[in-house]
Amino acid sequence: MSKPYKINNIEIEINNDDDIKSTAAAATKKKKNATTTKTKVSTKTTTPLTSLTRLAWTLTTAFILICILIELSALSSSSLHLTSATATATNDDDDGFDENDGEDDKISSDKSESNIATGTSTAPTTTTSNNPTLPQQPSSSSSASSTKDHDATALTDSDSYKSSFSMNEILQLKPSDLPPPFLFNDFGSPTSISIDVENENENEIKQSKEEEKKEETTTTTTTTGITKIIKILPGSIMQQNIAASKELFESKLYVLPDFMPRDTVKEILTLLRGHENMTIANGYQSIALNEDPDPVDAMTSQRIFLDDDSNNRSPKQSTIEQIQLRQKLKLLMDPYKDIMTLFLRKWYSDKCGKDNRKCTPCYTFLRRYRGGERRGNVPHHDSMSYISVVISLSDYDTEYQGGLYVSSKNSERNYIKLNRGDAVVHQWDLHHGVHVLDENIHGDTSERWSWIFWTRDSDTCDDHSKEWYKDCADDGNPSCMYLRATNEGTDEGRIKWNEKASNAGDALASVKLGYAYLKLLPSDIVSYDVKKAESLFLKAIRSSNEPDGHYALASLYLKQVTHQIQNSISMIKEQNNGDDRQIKMKIMDVLKKGLISPKLINAIGHLEEAAKCGHMFAQFNLGIVHLYGYGRSYRSGDGNGNGNTDPNMAGMWFEASGLPEGYIVKSMHSNSIGKKEEAESFQQKAYTLGYGSPWRQMARERAGSGGSSGAKLNLQWPPIPSGQIPQEF
Ligand SMILES: O=C(O)CCC(=O)C(=O)O
Ligand SMILES: [Fe+2]
């Protein structure tokens, strides 16, 4: 229920009791600080009627009332270092089966590796925007040759990989400007292989054979058993590299069209959501998905493991109904898991077809993506899965748009058009991620289900991953070097391999090293060095337009602007000894200039570049930019600084971020403009994704932006002329 709430004489409306508590706590804390203040610059708290809506929105979201510039000298440079040190201490990723996935403590138990190594291993960039690809997407992305060309051109094209910005270049970008998904279409000639299905599977396969006959016969019976013909569309994509590199590495992927019959998919979907038809199911799901935080992005994981109960971390999973439901699913799905296993062992026979090192699915699970809820999976390597399989249970266009993409680097995405029953098979070296657009082609909420296998090159699921990256790292493959760093047991080893990867052109390795130099990732062997960090972030941008590089640079510049402002204020106070009026005027002047200082403008430019690539933290912070008026010349307007903000644009970016924090602020916006129903819906989305849960904030600190675990959502924005600073989430 909506309740009015008063903080520091400002009445705001908040929908949720928890919010009230946390807001009140924040206000009390800030108030405490304020009482110790010697010099105060008062903030207007009166509300001119003409801009009531805007102010309500601003205040509801900006309710941090550092209305008063407090004891600014206390916020000295040492506090900046302290922040870094604290961040370092909390940056403690899990390491897991997936490079970006830390749920499996059994598999990788060494949490002490969670510094620069696991930070690195935790996977490149973040997903999520309405339309996430870059404007400069290559025209024919994914073939080895076309991507090669693209890289070479882009590296010499300073306009497309920008590293500095002027005032007239920023603030125009809207989520709707981001281009639609670019489809991967560079497949080689189709081929097929036949699989002799073992007798033990015969009955189940026979059953599926009957279903397939209705569509297209891909199964034939022989005297010895059943032969299944598997159609294969081979594809490949360049790996991240430096243009100057002599040797170029590529990753392969194979699409198996119609691997699973549509009728079987229908039955599975009916079990999963009550009806195979998405519109009729209307978002309902009959299976309880895991509600634990996904270690990659610290949002509710929304998946369900089919094989091993210990991986299902939602208490609801233990109900009899849920267990029975999973058994029914397994009955339908296991035959296809078996066929896939036979296929993998034959197709990759040279790699994992022999002895006790046969390809074995060790984890299989379902993921659900839905517009307005979990929409994706940040770009990553499945660094702990020798071969991965994704089987789509949803149709492209009619049920979802976007979905699984492959990429050479985090700033580009090539989506694979997958329909119900289509499978994709790839090895750990393929860089990929998922982003489902909010709407399908009919303009309804998108929904995509996928069935994923993570396999190992071991009959008994032993972890041999250390072997996978070793030789190719020695051979100079940047992705292998980057992944190898995650397997190193010492700080020296991790730094060494990240440095090698960075030098060989792996942009994320550069960003990780940059964070290490800022002491935002723990490392004993690199010392605090801002210049070095900045040059590493720039290197990542120049080589790959790395979104996490842009974000890291924005974050560094904002810290520097804030620090500069704090220093100026300290000086003003010293030089105007006790003359409150003078002090107030001069401080106001400093804050106005701060809004448009070149570094701040640059920071916004970098946030926009990162946002174009789907960087969720950057998109959220663009919401902050438009809500508080950063990057715009201060116009006194109604006396409150209103008039140089754009709350609607802010709302769009908060929503586009797809973050629970973005949804909660969007909900406040909707509330403030009287759209109660919309407000409730966004609030619900925020909670579904983990907002207000006991784990979200801490898990987010560990996960960072997904791409980089040194990244923080709360950037150090300087105070605006009214004295406010954005609320921290
Ligand atoms: O859902 C998908 O299509 C892929 C998910 C994925 O990449 C993963 O879970 O590692
Ligand atoms: Fe993956």
Side-chain angles (χ1 to χ4, degrees), residues 344-363:
L344 297 179
R345 289 177 179 180
K346 189 163 179 181
W347 189 248
Y348 292 95
S349 59
D350 56 326
K351 298 187 173 175
C352 58
K354 292 179 205 110
D355 307 332
N356 59 348
R357 298 288 297 266
K358 288 199 277 300
C359 310
T360 308
C362 300
Y363 291 82

Side-chain angles (χ1 to χ4, degrees), residues 51 54-55 57-58 167 170-171 588 591-596 600 604 622-650 719-724:
S51 58
R54 175 167 290 172
L55 188 64
W57 163 221
T58 306
M167 215 169 151
I170 59 163
L171 300 182
M588 189 67 156
L591 295 183
K592 283 182 195 170
K593 285 187 180 136
L595 281 182
I596 48 166
L600 193 132
I604 295 173
L622 285 182
I624 299 282
V625 165
H626 291 285
L627 183 60
Y628 287 84
Y630 291 111
R632 291 177 166 91
S633 298
Y634 183 78
R635 287 184 282 127
S636 55
D638 57 14
N640 289 305
N642 298 311
N644 53 335
T645 62
D646 189 344
N648 288 329
M649 180 84 105
I720 57 173
S722 68
Q724 290 176 311

Side-chain angles (χ1 to χ4, degrees), residues 21 35-36 212 239 297 563:
K21 280 179 216 138
T35 50
T36 61
E212 280 173 16
Q239 292 178 12
D297 55 20
H563 193 178

Side-chain angles (χ1 to χ4, degrees), residues 329-452:
L329 282 169
K330 276 170 70 60
L331 270 180
L332 281 166
M333 296 163 92
D334 276 353
Y336 294 95
K337 185 169 104 177
D338 294 341
I339 299 174
M340 184 57 85
T341 307
L342 293 172
F343 166 76
L344 297 179
R345 289 177 179 180
K346 189 163 179 181
W347 189 248
Y348 292 95
S349 59
D350 56 326
K351 298 187 173 175
C352 58
K354 292 179 205 110
D355 307 332
N356 59 348
R357 298 288 297 266
K358 288 199 277 300
C359 310
T360 308
C362 300
Y363 291 82
T364 73
F365 53 93
L366 289 160
R367 280 190 183 274
R368 183 183 99 143
Y369 307 93
R370 194 172 155 81
E373 292 182 17
R374 169 170 285 283
R375 301 188 295 198
N377 218 323
V378 297
H380 61 281
H381 295 96
D382 291 346
S383 64
M384 301 296 282
S385 167
Y386 193 62
I387 296 169
S388 298
V389 176
V390 175
I391 301 177
S392 176
L393 304 179
S394 305
D395 277 331
Y396 199 91
D397 281 342
T398 51
E399 292 185 288
Y400 74 98
Q401 296 182 90
L404 180 68
Y405 59 81
V406 293
S407 58
S408 298
K409 49 184 169 248
N410 288 328
S411 53
E412 73 174 42
R413 297 174 177 187
N414 308 292
Y415 288 85
I416 306 181
K417 196 167 184 173
L418 294 175
N419 290 318
R420 289 185 182 192
D422 294 343
V424 180
V425 177
H426 62 85
Q427 280 201 263
W428 52 268
D429 61 343
L430 181 79
H431 195 239
H432 65 282
V434 177
H435 177 78
V436 163
L437 302 200
D438 275 333
E439 291 180 353
N440 60 28
I441 202 165
H442 303 304
D444 301 325
T445 305
S446 264
E447 188 170 298
R448 176 176 182 267
W449 288 80
S450 56
W451 179 25
I452 292 131

Side-chain angles (χ1 to χ4, degrees), residues 609-669:
E609 291 306 303
K612 283 180 194 169
C613 305
H615 198 286
M616 295 155 114
F617 282 15
Q619 293 171 337
F620 177 89
N621 275 286
L622 285 182
I624 299 282
V625 165
H626 291 285
L627 183 60
Y628 287 84
Y630 291 111
R632 291 177 166 91
S633 298
Y634 183 78
R635 287 184 282 127
S636 55
D638 57 14
N640 289 305
N642 298 311
N644 53 335
T645 62
D646 189 344
N648 288 329
M649 180 84 105
M652 286 190 261
W653 279 116
F654 285 127
E655 181 182 353
S657 77
L659 290 169
E661 293 79 6
Y663 287 146
I664 208 75
V665 184
K666 173 73 185 175
S667 152
M668 292 168 178
H669 177 213

Side-chain angles (χ1 to χ4, degrees), residues 540-651:
I541 292 167
R542 291 191 182 124
S543 70
S544 305
N545 202 24
E546 170 56 50
D548 260 306
H550 283 294
Y551 190 76
L553 212 49
S555 140
L556 179 62
Y557 290 161
L558 288 176
K559 215 178 216 181
Q560 290 174 339
V561 173
T562 302
H563 193 178
Q564 266 169 12
I565 289 178
Q566 287 165 353
N567 283 344
S568 302
I569 290 172
S570 299
M571 267 169 58
I572 290 170
K573 283 159 61 185
E574 260 170 39
Q575 288 166 1
N576 294 274
N577 187 15
D579 185 345
D580 278 1
R581 222 178 83 85
Q582 273 293 317
I583 290 174
K584 190 175 154 183
M585 266 169 49
K586 287 187 174 169
I587 288 179
M588 189 67 156
D589 199 44
V590 165
L591 295 183
K592 283 182 195 170
K593 285 187 180 136
L595 281 182
I596 48 166
S597 74
K599 270 216 163 121
L600 193 132
I601 299 294
N602 247 334
I604 295 173
H606 284 291
L607 288 178
E608 290 190 339
E609 291 306 303
K612 283 180 194 169
C613 305
H615 198 286
M616 295 155 114
F617 282 15
Q619 293 171 337
F620 177 89
N621 275 286
L622 285 182
I624 299 282
V625 165
H626 291 285
L627 183 60
Y628 287 84
Y630 291 111
R632 291 177 166 91
S633 298
Y634 183 78
R635 287 184 282 127
S636 55
D638 57 14
N640 289 305
N642 298 311
N644 53 335
T645 62
D646 189 344
N648 288 329
M649 180 84 105

